[in-house]
Amino acid sequence: MTKFNELGVSAPIMKALEKMGFEEATPIQAETIPHALEGHDVIGQAQTGTGKTAAFGIPLINKINAKLRKVQGLIVAPTRELAIQVAEEINRLAKFKSVRALAIYGGQPMDRQIRALKDGPQIVVATPGRLLDHMRRKTIRIDQVHTAVLDEADEMLNMGFIDDIREILKGIPEERQTLLFSATMPKEIRNIATTLMKEPKEVKVKAKEMTVENIDQYFIEIPEKYKFDTLNNHLDINSPELAIIFARTKKRVDEVAEGLQARGYRSEGIHGDLTQGKRMSVLKKFKQGRVDVLVATDVAARGLDISGVTHVYNFDIPQDPESYVHRIGRTGRAGKMGEAISFITPREMAHLNLIEQTTKSKMKRMAPPTNQDARRGQQQVTIEKLKNAINEKDLKVYEDAAKELLDEYDSITVVSAAISMMTKERRDTPVRISSVAPISVKKAKNQKDNKTKGRSNNKRFYGGRGQGGRNQGGRGQGGRNRKGKGNYQRRNRDN
Ligand SMILES: Nc1ncnc2c1ncn2[C@@H]1O[C@H](COP(=O)(O)OP(=O)(O)OP(=O)(O)O)[C@@H](O)[C@H]1O
Ligand SMILES: [Mg+2]
């Protein structure tokens, strides 16, 4: 275990770390901070929730000249919410040094950002599109920038956004230091990344698996049309503190979020088509626990650090194994435990193997909970409430009423009636979710024969009812699927 003062971190940052309760450096911090402080370019790869933000934040703040009120550090992140969160963490780390970080991102009025930029923040955290906008309008000056950070670098370099990143980096003096971080770094993306850097030190925190071990990973093989009720049952049984449910499209996110609301859950959806104001208010409610089930597209998959997320559900499995890693990484952060449950349609079973091969971890099969299990789960919640009332409330004023009731009925009947009245009967509310085509499993096809055998025992749970074709809605997959995915990822990318 490494202490921060062994890493050459300056006194004001040490003081902030102490205030934040960071006692020891995480492995990625211990390994990258010395390289970064020496001025090297760094590629840092470590599992989700292991403190990569501070791994680049600390050396960056360390290097800032607090007296110079010019942008000296530039951090680029793929989503607006992440830009905001990273700026907040940087500001916490820089609390005892006169260094300020500002987040700039799409969906917020330009003039407000221009005014804020004039205030002289030394660090700017931005989404690529909005940053380029400011650069082209010359409303941001980056000629004094000595450090550039790409957080979630692979995501930004993925899918043709390399040109935006290149253009951004071209505006920064060449002698800059470049730091690049992510939990995933596919080889081809890393190769692109190295073209943007000078002899980078590559730090990959050694781990057997790409996912953190404190996340228990499960899958449930389930036909499309049973997903929603299964999700309901699960939520009732587990009563997550906070849960994030990932769905494939914005439409599905809206439908699932509304369906859950109709069934009495405090649920909201988040995706790239919402106004920025709405996105922020949904996230705020979720962080405060006023919403406890967040339904999201991949816009919420990367980087978001929300404490109390005990469960992540893949209502639809993602196409990319990398996306799986990031999604489930919203739980099990900073050493806490978490649970990830992926719904996989029988036709997608081969895709499960592809994900497992990439992440080098296994998902355990879980039987879908029955309605009876769920009912027991719901009743358990009621029973807990009753027990709390017994222990904590003054029940004297109700005693006469209770005695009257017990004169007329036996105690079991009375208590059963009370439990029934206090228990939500969710399934009385019908909910319809439009179906989607299963994920294309093209890439994984040749693994299908040897790997999925014996796994596809869907019959056990559903009495061998027909599946497949009906879920697909007759649509072809392949090319179309891939195109669709590219589109929504692009739009989600936001800026
Ligand atoms: N040294 C430390 N000691 C204790 N907590 C820490 C330490 N470093 C970071 N944390 C906390 O751990 C949590 C996760 O950190 P962070 O968001 O930086 O993870 P990450 O590696 O960037 O994850 P992701 O891959 O999901 O982006 C945060 O709440 C952060 O404040
Ligand atoms: Mg991060």
Side-chain angles (χ1 to χ4, degrees):
M1 288 291 159
T2 316
K3 298 262 185 233
F4 283 103
N5 55 10
E6 295 165 35
L7 299 173
V9 176
S10 66
I13 300 178
M14 285 302 299
K15 197 169 161 192
L17 288 168
E18 201 174 309
K19 187 153 189 265
M20 291 164 81
F22 290 15
E23 285 166 13
E24 275 154 355
T26 65
I28 187 73
Q29 291 162 355
E31 289 190 47
T32 55
I33 290 173
H35 289 311
L37 285 175
E38 281 167 20
H40 293 291
D41 281 6
V42 176
I43 296 181
Q45 189 186 343
Q47 295 159 321
T48 52
T50 57
K52 292 186 288 296
T53 318
F56 60 73
I58 291 170
L60 171 59
I61 297 164
N62 216 75
K63 240 176 113 178
I64 300 286
N65 174 356
K67 293 202 187 86
L68 180 65
R69 301 289 298 265
K70 296 255 162 70
V71 183
Q72 299 163 56
L74 197 56
I75 302 169
V76 190
T79 66
R80 300 166 181 184
E81 286 73 15
L82 184 56
I84 295 167
Q85 177 189 297
V86 169
E88 284 169 356
E89 174 113 329
I90 298 283
N91 281 328
R92 272 194 295 273
L93 289 165
K95 192 176 162 70
F96 300 102
K97 189 170 173 177
S98 302
V99 170
R100 285 294 153 261
L102 171 72
I104 58 171
Y105 46 86
Q108 204 192 33
M110 279 299 262
D111 56 340
R112 203 157 112 202
Q113 291 177 355
I114 292 169
R115 269 200 309 276
L117 282 165
K118 282 192 178 137
D119 248 13
Q122 295 101 333
I123 297 173
V124 163
V125 191
T127 50
R130 183 53 70 97
L131 176 59
L132 274 176
D133 225 0
H134 279 287
M135 285 169 64
R136 287 173 188 147
R137 293 185 195 200
K138 301 205 175 358
T139 45
I140 187 171
R141 282 193 56 183
I142 55 173
D143 56 336
Q144 303 274 325
V145 170
H146 50 61
T147 310
V149 181
L150 305 180
D151 192 16
E152 307 292 345
D154 59 329
E155 169 78 343
M156 295 193 295
L157 298 178
N158 227 334
M159 322 198 46
F161 283 83
I162 174 80
D163 291 340
D164 289 358
I165 299 294
R166 257 193 231 287
E167 191 177 338
I168 290 167
L169 293 178
K170 228 189 260 160
I172 303 174
E174 222 179 300
E175 55 278 17
R176 67 163 193 269
Q177 179 181 20
T178 310
L179 309 175
L180 204 137
F181 280 80
S182 181
T184 53
M185 195 65 72
K187 219 198 260 148
E188 61 277 22
I189 303 290
R190 198 187 53 217
N191 291 342
I192 298 173
T194 50
T195 66
L196 306 169
M197 309 176 81
K198 288 187 294 281
E199 298 167 32
K201 299 270 183 202
E202 290 194 37
V203 175
K204 191 170 170 182
V205 170
K206 283 204 178 60
K208 238 177 42 249
E209 301 161 3
M210 204 184 266
T211 47
V212 265
E213 58 190 28
N214 33 354
I215 307 175
D216 286 327
Q217 301 178 54
Y218 299 97
F219 75 93
I220 299 180
E221 185 181 357
I222 186 125
E224 173 66 36
K225 65 175 180 174
Y226 298 116
K227 281 183 179 177
F228 189 75
D229 282 337
T230 300
L231 175 65
N232 271 208
N233 288 349
H234 237 280
L235 292 172
D236 288 343
I237 292 165
N238 289 325
S239 338
E241 190 178 331
L242 297 179
I244 304 182
I245 317 236
F246 286 101
R248 202 174 302 154
T249 64
K250 295 166 189 167
K251 184 169 172 221
R252 301 247 303 167
V253 164
D254 287 337
E255 287 181 352
V256 172
E258 281 160 24
L260 288 172
Q261 277 169 19
R263 294 232 173 133
Y265 300 92
R266 295 189 303 172
S267 159
E268 294 249 18
I270 191 165
H271 57 63
D273 276 358
L274 303 178
T275 63
Q276 191 51 34
K278 178 74 184 166
R279 276 167 67 164
M280 279 162 56
S281 79
V282 168
L283 208 59
K284 190 169 164 200
K285 281 196 241 170
F286 186 58
K287 284 182 184 164
Q288 293 172 340
R290 284 187 288 142
V291 156
D292 32 39
V293 185
L294 181 73
V295 189
T297 56
D298 276 311
V299 75
R302 292 255 178 177
L304 291 191
D305 183 62
I306 299 166
S307 63
V309 177
T310 51
H311 290 74
V312 170
Y313 292 88
N314 282 310
F315 192 76
D316 304 309
I317 46 163
Q319 178 94 33
D320 300 323
E322 284 78 21
S323 171
Y324 174 83
V325 172
H326 292 279
R327 284 177 175 192
I328 71 162
R330 294 319 96 209
T331 187
R333 301 178 71 74
K336 294 212 178 69
M337 290 302 294
E339 211 171 284
I341 299 124
S342 299
F343 292 174
I344 302 190
T345 65
R347 295 178 60 110
E348 292 169 332
M349 285 301 286
H351 201 70
L352 165 74
N353 294 118
L354 176 71
I355 292 176
E356 288 184 336
Q357 278 170 8
T358 312
T359 62
K360 298 189 177 64
S361 56
K362 281 265 172 215
M363 295 178 227
K364 282 182 245 147
R365 179 186 279 277
M366 186 187 256
T370 61
N371 287 346
Q372 202 185 345
D373 294 336
R375 208 169 298 126
R376 224 174 286 133
Q378 287 170 351
Q379 288 177 10
Q380 203 50 45
V381 174
T382 305
I383 289 165
E384 289 305 317
K385 279 190 198 153
L386 280 171
K387 282 184 179 168
N388 278 346
I390 292 168
N391 291 329
E392 284 160 25
K393 277 196 177 164
D394 182 6
L395 301 172
K396 271 239 149 9
V397 290
Y398 301 100
E399 274 183 5
D400 287 343
K403 279 178 191 153
E404 254 173 56
L405 263 174
L406 287 171
D407 282 344
E408 209 170 328
Y409 306 97
D410 68 284
S411 55
I412 296 209
T413 309
V414 171
V415 177
S416 302
I419 293 175
S420 133
M421 287 188 69
M422 287 173 67
T423 304
K424 287 177 196 153
E425 274 306 329
R426 306 194 192 273
R427 265 137 223 87
D428 295 346
T429 313
V431 167
R432 218 190 95 73
I433 309 288
S434 338
S435 67
V436 289
I439 281 277
S440 150
V441 288
K442 220 171 171 190
K443 248 164 117 185
K445 256 211 166 111
N446 42 9
Q447 289 134 22
K448 191 173 176 173
D449 295 333
N450 46 29
K451 279 263 182 166
T452 53
K453 258 185 203 156
R455 269 196 145 163
S456 210
N457 58 354
N458 175 53
K459 279 202 181 92
R460 215 173 82 212
F461 306 121
Y462 300 100
R465 258 179 275 180
Q467 351 134 354
R470 143 193 289 159
N471 291 329
Q472 262 199 81
R475 271 186 258 167
Q477 344 158 4
R480 186 195 162 134
N481 249 355
R482 277 198 301 279
K483 184 160 162 264
K485 176 207 159 225
N487 285 344
Y488 98 78
Q489 283 218 347
R490 238 166 222 264
R491 271 182 270 121
N492 272 348
R493 183 168 318 264
D494 115 35
N495 302 312

